[in-house]
Amino acid sequence: MNLARRSVILVSFILLLAALLLTIVISISKGAVTIAPAEVVRILLKNFGLLTQTSVDAQHEAVIWAIRLPRVLQGVIVGATLAAAGVVLQGLFRNPLADSGLLGISSGASFFVAAAVVLQFHKFGLFTLPLAAFVGSTCAILLVSGLSHSARKTQVASMLLAGIALNSFFMAGTGLATYFSTDEQLRTITFWQMGSLASASWTSLAIAGPFMLVSIFGLPFLAGSLNALLLGEDNAQYLGVRVERLKWCIIFLVALGVGASVAISGLIGFIGLIVPHLVRLVTGPNHKLVIPGSILVGAILLTSADLLARTVITPQELPIGLMTSILGAPFFLYLILREKRRGLHG
Amino acid sequence: MRLFFVYVLPFVLLSFNFAEGATVQGADNTEVSVQNPKRLVVINSSATETLFALGLGDRIVGTDAGSTYPAVAEKLPKVGHPYRPSAEGIISLKPDLVIATEDSLPPATAQQIRSAKIPVLVLEASDKSGVDGYKRRVRMIAKAFDIEAKAEKEIQRFEEGLKKINSSATEGKSAKVFFLYAHGAASGRIYGTQTGPHYLIEAAGAHNAAESVEGVKDFTSEAMVKMQPDAILVLKRVSKNLGGTEGVLKLQGISLTPAGKNKRVIEIDDSVRWIGPRFPEFAQELNTALAK
């Protein structure tokens, strides 16, 4: 890598980091309830124990501290997780369309949530649905890897096919549950599938956050091996990559992170699919850059999408899963058309 | 003496005002302490109508997008979908009390609003327990606002309205009514017992053709043929979606029922929110239509 390219990438990363911080600050200060920036700062300092002698409006404090801050942080961490998972899945399958939806992770979560709602299983109160989603997505990914594991090794192609089969199976299951649901249950299922950060709380972050953090901080370590994998499995093997172990690491980390994110935010589309492509435009295919870049861009994109979702039609708000798909799909089409014009896809 | 009126009396009156505080237990078993709330956000159209009926409409500063009756309510700021209102949106309207039904406010949202020190009074769902449920909801609101006398008057009006309905007028003519909810030929729902339509049909002096079913189930034409309803009841917008009365009659299976043979399709106003203040009126309308 020459010096000019190196400095372009360094500057991009610094800019991304700054953009993430800026997005977080704007997101914390904007919302349906208007709070002066100075008061936002006072509230934050007070709650972090840095400012003791200050008086703040109790209601504003609750809005910032109990509602908005956990929501913004959840947006950052969920966005980062989904994007990171997207990159490594695309790397593992060497398929630009791979994302967590393709392996049945989302539909597995949907099915378990729908089943829990219809069977009126609510043993864990507010955390019943998140738990169901987590179990569902983990089951899905275990099934996919189990089904595609032959005596010798895990076949990536059959993994993809198993994912597609499971997807339609889980979708049918969700349909069946929907069919037997009452109107109220139907609404719960439908809204859950739209995805939302609205129920974010410190508790949800404390429960799901660690899983996602393991995945966010664990996945970048696989970058070198993923780079080798770009040359094909056999070549990667010759280069000393333990391919089988790499696959299991990826599956484990993705299941952990995406499962936890689906659990607390429902289905949020397009982040895992689109962010890696976006980042590769600048960095090229090197996973050592694509993974951290995607983590940053994913966090920025989801946080800003949520900011839009909850401010464009205040005091109402839009489900974020819709927001990312509405904004994501046209952008994705634009990228494809641009590539096509460049002649890269024939 | 003048000193008394100017300085002392206002404080005496103010302290009376504070004495108005009340503690009410909501349907979610959470106690709510309120002191004569002046700014209300109401989620659920039936709850909104009830507050207007109790003369508290002018205190409402925001509702969900579904609260469109009376006409004034339509112009109030909206805080989102009737079943997924936004917590911060509600808080931004600075209410001193939020009133919602248990089916229209997710527990997580209620918790968020309560964390901002805003009391949330959760009522029973508006189609639960029929008339008894309505009475309980009215009394619960009345207790929070200390207007029990007014509430009893409203309940009396409500019951008298129901009593006026001449159920013998429908005897034999159209005993079995089927409420049809559908967006197209193959997407209907059946409303059995413990649903709004069931209570409405009963109040009109008829029987719900689907009373062997509990709650809401998917529609099959064979099930309807088996039920043999004498009349089909549809919301105006459903009728419109299906292409008017003619369209409803063309639905698979309807021609094999007495309702289809006699072309008895009764339309009902879209704004019926099951058991609300206008429930007796809607029941009366249905009764009149059935007696024809």
Side-chain angles (χ1 to χ4, degrees):
Chain A
M1 208 187 295
N2 62 38
L3 196 65
R5 179 138 179 79
R6 205 172 270 233
S7 51
V8 164
I9 286 167
L10 188 69
V11 170
S12 319
F13 267 88
I14 292 171
L15 284 179
L16 276 183
L17 212 56
L20 177 60
L21 287 175
L22 190 69
T23 318
I24 294 175
V25 171
I26 295 174
S27 292
I28 295 174
S29 59
K30 290 255 178 275
V33 179
T34 327
I35 303 168
E39 199 183 1
V40 174
V41 174
R42 275 209 306 280
I43 290 169
L44 291 179
L45 290 179
K46 185 185 164 222
N47 278 282
F48 283 118
L50 299 171
L51 203 65
T52 41
Q53 286 165 320
T54 186
S55 63
V56 291
D57 184 313
Q59 203 159 77
H60 286 171
E61 187 178 343
V63 167
I64 293 284
W65 192 254
I67 301 177
R68 219 180 273 168
L69 190 58
R71 183 172 182 157
V72 170
L73 291 180
Q74 188 165 314
V76 168
I77 188 168
V78 167
T81 306
L82 291 176
V87 182
V88 295
L89 288 177
Q90 286 171 12
L92 174 64
F93 291 115
R94 273 161 284 147
N95 182 330
L97 292 176
D99 84 330
S100 48
L102 202 68
L103 288 181
I105 301 180
S106 321
S107 53
S110 283
F111 172 56
F112 272 65
V113 164
V117 168
V118 172
L119 298 175
Q120 300 187 335
F121 175 79
H122 32 61
K123 213 172 201 160
F124 304 99
L126 282 181
F127 295 101
T128 307
L129 294 190
L131 204 69
F134 188 72
V135 173
S137 46
T138 314
C139 276
I141 202 149
L142 286 177
L143 274 171
V144 166
S145 35
L147 286 170
S148 51
H149 192 89
S150 69
R152 211 166 52 85
K153 56 181 180 179
T154 311
Q155 300 287 342
V156 166
S158 54
M159 207 172 188
L160 211 58
L161 291 175
I164 291 167
L166 274 183
N167 237 332
S168 64
F169 174 74
F170 282 134
M171 250 131 80
T174 309
L176 200 65
T178 314
Y179 186 84
F180 287 111
S181 64
T182 66
D183 274 13
E184 202 180 324
Q185 294 169 338
L186 185 66
R187 277 196 299 269
T188 309
I189 298 171
T190 314
F191 275 107
W192 183 84
Q193 286 178 331
M194 286 181 195
S196 171
L197 298 175
S199 61
S201 66
W202 291 114
T203 332
S204 68
L205 269 182
I207 291 174
F211 293 116
M212 292 189 276
L213 287 177
V214 167
S215 150
I216 293 172
F217 286 105
L219 288 172
F221 286 106
L222 306 176
S225 312
L226 278 166
N227 280 345
L229 203 61
L230 284 176
L231 306 168
E233 276 184 43
D234 290 340
N235 288 328
Q237 203 93 45
Y238 299 142
L239 287 171
V241 174
R242 293 161 72 180
V243 175
E244 198 60 16
R245 204 183 62 170
L246 172 68
K247 282 178 199 161
W248 281 103
C249 278
I250 291 175
I251 287 168
F252 174 73
L253 288 174
V254 166
L256 213 60
V258 176
S261 84
V262 169
I264 54 172
S265 310
L267 299 185
I268 296 177
F270 262 101
I271 296 285
L273 183 63
I274 202 171
V275 170
H277 291 276
L278 213 57
V279 174
R280 269 188 224 111
L281 288 180
V282 180
T283 61
N286 183 358
H287 282 96
K288 285 184 177 152
L289 299 172
V290 186
I291 297 177
S294 297
I295 288 174
L296 287 175
V297 175
I300 295 170
L301 225 58
L302 193 63
T303 317
S304 357
D306 187 51
L307 177 65
L308 275 182
R310 59 195 174 80
T311 51
V312 275
I313 49 165
T314 48
Q316 316 191 39
E317 62 186 49
L318 291 164
I320 184 140
L322 298 188
M323 205 72 191
T324 52
S325 296
I326 290 171
L327 299 176
F331 187 72
F332 199 61
L333 276 178
Y334 162 76
L335 281 185
I336 293 170
L337 290 176
R338 207 183 69 160
E339 299 269 295
K340 199 175 155 193
R341 217 171 295 136
R342 278 184 181 173
L344 293 178
H345 288 292
Chain B
M1 200 59 200
R2 189 162 164 256
L3 203 75
F4 174 80
F5 279 113
V6 175
Y7 294 101
V8 183
L9 194 63
F11 284 103
V12 173
L13 289 175
L14 261 178
S15 65
F16 272 121
N17 209 8
F18 284 130
E20 263 186 75
T23 306
V24 199
Q25 169 136 16
D28 60 346
N29 293 321
T30 306
E31 283 206 343
V32 184
S33 278
V34 283
Q35 281 182 341
N36 193 24
K38 293 263 163 41
R39 293 179 61 85
L40 310 174
V41 170
V42 188
I43 312 299
N44 179 274
S45 47
S46 170
T48 305
E49 279 190 34
T50 308
L51 280 151
F52 272 96
L54 292 172
L56 298 164
D58 55 344
R59 300 192 190 191
I60 303 178
V61 294
T63 65
D64 63 291
S67 292
T68 52
Y69 183 92
V72 226
E74 197 161 11
K75 294 196 183 69
L76 290 166
K78 300 296 177 200
V79 294
H81 192 282
Y83 300 101
R84 281 296 182 282
S86 133
E88 227 189 274
I90 292 173
I91 297 168
S92 74
L93 296 173
K94 299 188 177 67
D96 43 20
L97 177 65
V98 176
I99 300 177
T101 52
E102 54 190 342
D103 55 337
S104 60
L105 192 70
T109 313
Q111 213 172 47
Q112 287 176 330
I113 301 169
R114 283 177 179 141
S115 76
K117 310 265 178 325
I118 295 170
V120 180
L121 177 61
V122 177
L123 309 171
E124 286 172 67
S126 70
D127 56 354
K128 208 167 152 186
S129 320
V131 173
D132 289 337
Y134 178 68
K135 286 191 215 164
R136 277 199 294 273
R137 280 181 282 138
V138 168
R139 291 201 173 112
M140 202 181 266
I141 295 170
K143 201 172 169 202
F145 289 89
D146 204 15
I147 48 164
E148 271 94 346
K150 207 171 208 168
E152 293 313 315
K153 219 179 261 171
E154 160 61 16
I155 288 173
Q156 210 183 340
R157 180 199 68 83
F158 188 89
E159 284 185 327
E160 271 164 17
L162 286 179
K163 249 181 251 161
K164 258 190 253 159
I165 297 168
N166 178 9
S167 42
S168 60
T170 57
E171 266 326 298
K173 280 209 154 176
S174 304
K176 278 186 347 191
V177 180
F178 182 85
F179 175 75
L180 175 74
Y181 188 83
H183 287 287
S187 68
R189 305 285 267 173
I190 291 175
Y191 283 72
T193 56
Q194 289 166 50
T195 64
H198 175 80
Y199 294 116
L200 183 74
I201 293 167
E202 296 264 304
H207 294 290
N208 183 2
E211 61 193 356
S212 60
V213 176
E214 191 190 308
V216 183
K217 294 277 170 320
D218 261 38
F219 172 83
T220 64
S221 2
E222 279 196 31
M224 193 178 51
V225 174
K226 197 177 153 214
M227 287 166 188
Q228 289 292 307
D230 300 301
I232 307 275
L233 177 64
V234 287
L235 292 175
K236 276 192 181 123
R237 63 188 153 93
V238 169
S239 163
K240 209 168 144 195
N241 288 345
L242 297 173
T245 309
E246 284 306 306
V248 175
L249 288 170
K250 266 188 213 137
L251 276 186
Q252 191 78 25
I254 289 197
S255 61
L256 302 174
T257 66
K261 282 171 197 144
N262 303 323
K263 297 196 192 312
R264 283 180 74 81
V265 176
I266 299 166
E267 289 184 358
I268 185 167
D269 199 281
D270 291 336
S271 70
V272 56
R273 293 298 176 192
W274 312 122
I275 333 289
R278 290 181 297 156
F279 180 73
E281 286 171 45
F282 288 120
Q284 176 68 67
E285 270 175 42
L286 178 57
N287 175 273
T288 314
L290 286 171
K292 262 182 211 159

